Amino acid sequence: TMEPETVYDSRVKPGLRQYYSSVFSQIAQEYLLFMNELKRLPVRISTNGGWFGKEGRIDFIGKDEEGRMLAAVTKWDDEAFGDKDFEQILFTMMQAGINPDYYYLFSKTGFQSSMEIKANAMENLELISLEQL
């Protein structure tokens, strides 16, 4: 028989990460739709969906009547969101053929200082940590 710790590490833990990741994604999407209702987003979203491909996923893509686009990605990880993650997201968006006007990034563990600097320099980049939700 397997020790309980072994069962947890091999069967439960990997599933939990996936589960929390998808719950976090859902919360981020609900947050965006709520902010949209309050007219607190830079675009007035009228349609939304997501994109899933081999290279990655875009949790939320929202468009307004004029076709302006807001895209959001979540990261459920113990490591802070960094430049490499952002580059991966831009690559994924290129693969998906989307070029958003606004980027919303959600992170369980916050953001590396290089990302904070980017967000301060870019008008169209929002960083939201789990704590802020």
Side-chain angles (χ1 to χ4, degrees):
T1 62
M2 289 174 94
E3 293 295 311
E5 292 82 25
T6 315
V7 172
Y8 177 80
D9 286 338
S10 67
R11 304 246 171 87
V12 179
K13 204 173 171 185
L16 275 180
R17 191 178 180 288
Q18 185 59 49
Y19 172 75
Y20 284 124
S21 179
S22 79
V23 169
F24 189 46
S25 171
Q26 193 59 47
I27 290 167
Q29 293 172 55
E30 286 171 18
Y31 168 85
L32 288 169
L33 292 172
F34 182 60
M35 287 292 131
N36 188 53
E37 274 178 45
L38 298 176
K39 298 181 173 68
R40 303 240 324 253
L41 293 178
V43 298
R44 188 85 176 98
I45 295 167
S46 54
T47 60
N48 73 81
W51 185 87
F52 300 87
K54 282 192 187 113
E55 301 301 328
R57 73 187 198 301
I58 303 159
D59 299 86
F60 182 93
I61 302 163
K63 283 184 182 172
D64 68 8
E65 301 290 344
E66 289 84 54
R68 292 183 309 157
M69 188 187 301
L70 181 154
V73 176
T74 60
K75 180 182 178 181
W76 184 264
D77 200 271
D78 292 334
E79 265 180 45
F81 204 112
D83 290 329
K84 280 202 173 107
D85 298 306
F86 192 51
E87 281 164 28
Q88 180 62 45
I89 286 164
L90 295 177
F91 178 72
T92 301
M93 290 183 180
M94 205 173 72
Q95 297 288 104
I98 73 160
N99 186 12
D101 299 281
Y102 299 93
Y103 300 88
Y104 276 64
L105 307 179
F106 293 81
S107 173
K108 171 193 175 190
T109 322
F111 299 85
Q112 290 175 6
S113 56
S114 58
M115 286 303 297
E116 302 277 0
I117 292 164
K118 237 185 211 85
N120 286 332
M122 294 170 67
E123 293 274 305
N124 65 343
L125 176 60
E126 271 313 306
L127 307 180
I128 301 163
S129 65
L130 179 60
E131 288 174 351
Q132 290 169 270
L133 292 173

